[in-house]
Amino acid sequence: CTRLGEPDYLDALLDVLPREAYTLHIPVYGGDAATHDGVVGKGGAFAQVIAGLDALAGMDLLDRVLLLTVITVDNLAELPAMRRLFAEYGCPVQVFLPFPTTLDPADPFYQVAASHSEMVGPMTTCDPPLGVWELLPCVRWRHERDTGEPALSRGGFNAVIANMGNL
């Protein structure tokens, strides 16, 4: 979605989409350029995504946007900043965890995946909390039991589901 801020590209895209029913799934991997660009490996990507979101806001199309993120060890500490950014746009957010693509122990998954226990605290303390449907209920329960902080009852889920085949 780095090209959504280009007016000609955005106009061409909107021209081919169905008028009534479409959702733009826009990935955001950090609350700032350093984090997002570091995760995607492309300098300037964050600024381009923000330009696209701003263009869609200017066209009153944010109701057609679903923001996506994947939590990794590289952006885990940035969850509160990402949550604030998401709140600025008011779009639903779908949170995912990385998954291995091979059974090889050298799969990059093993370098970027955070444990569920590492994620539950930062996710639930975001304001408003981030929800992730893949976070194990037993981890949420243990966090709630051990800290007294709600983890099962906070961090809602969105009715708009990303198409898993496109991720």
Side-chain angles (χ1 to χ4, degrees), residues 8-152:
D8 291 341
Y9 178 85
L10 183 55
D11 289 342
L13 176 65
L14 295 174
D15 282 345
V16 298
L17 291 174
R19 295 280 175 228
E20 297 302 317
Y22 67 87
T23 301
L24 298 171
H25 299 166
I26 301 179
V28 179
Y29 300 113
D32 59 31
T35 304
H36 178 89
D37 293 357
V39 169
V40 300
K42 179 183 178 196
F46 181 77
Q48 291 173 307
V49 169
I50 295 302
L53 287 169
D54 290 343
L56 291 164
M59 299 171 82
D60 200 27
L61 291 175
L62 288 179
D63 62 334
R64 302 294 184 119
V65 171
L66 173 65
L67 297 174
L68 305 174
T69 196
V70 177
I71 299 173
T72 69
V73 294
D74 297 319
N75 64 9
L76 181 60
E78 297 300 315
L79 288 181
M82 286 196 316
R83 189 62 182 126
R84 286 189 298 273
L85 176 68
F86 297 155
E88 285 179 33
Y89 290 97
C91 303
V93 178
Q94 191 87 45
V95 181
F96 295 94
L97 306 180
F99 54 90
T101 56
T102 70
L103 297 177
D104 184 345
D107 189 305
F109 163 82
Y110 298 102
Q111 284 76 51
V112 300
S115 74
H116 287 214
S117 297
E118 291 173 297
M119 288 184 284
V120 66
M123 289 183 64
T124 58
T125 56
C126 287
D127 188 22
L130 283 170
V132 61
W133 53 339
E134 295 140 322
L135 196 59
L136 297 172
C138 61
V139 174
R140 289 179 182 268
W141 179 82
R142 198 172 321 123
H143 176 81
E144 196 163 307
R145 180 197 65 195
D146 295 348
T147 67
E149 296 292 323
L152 290 169

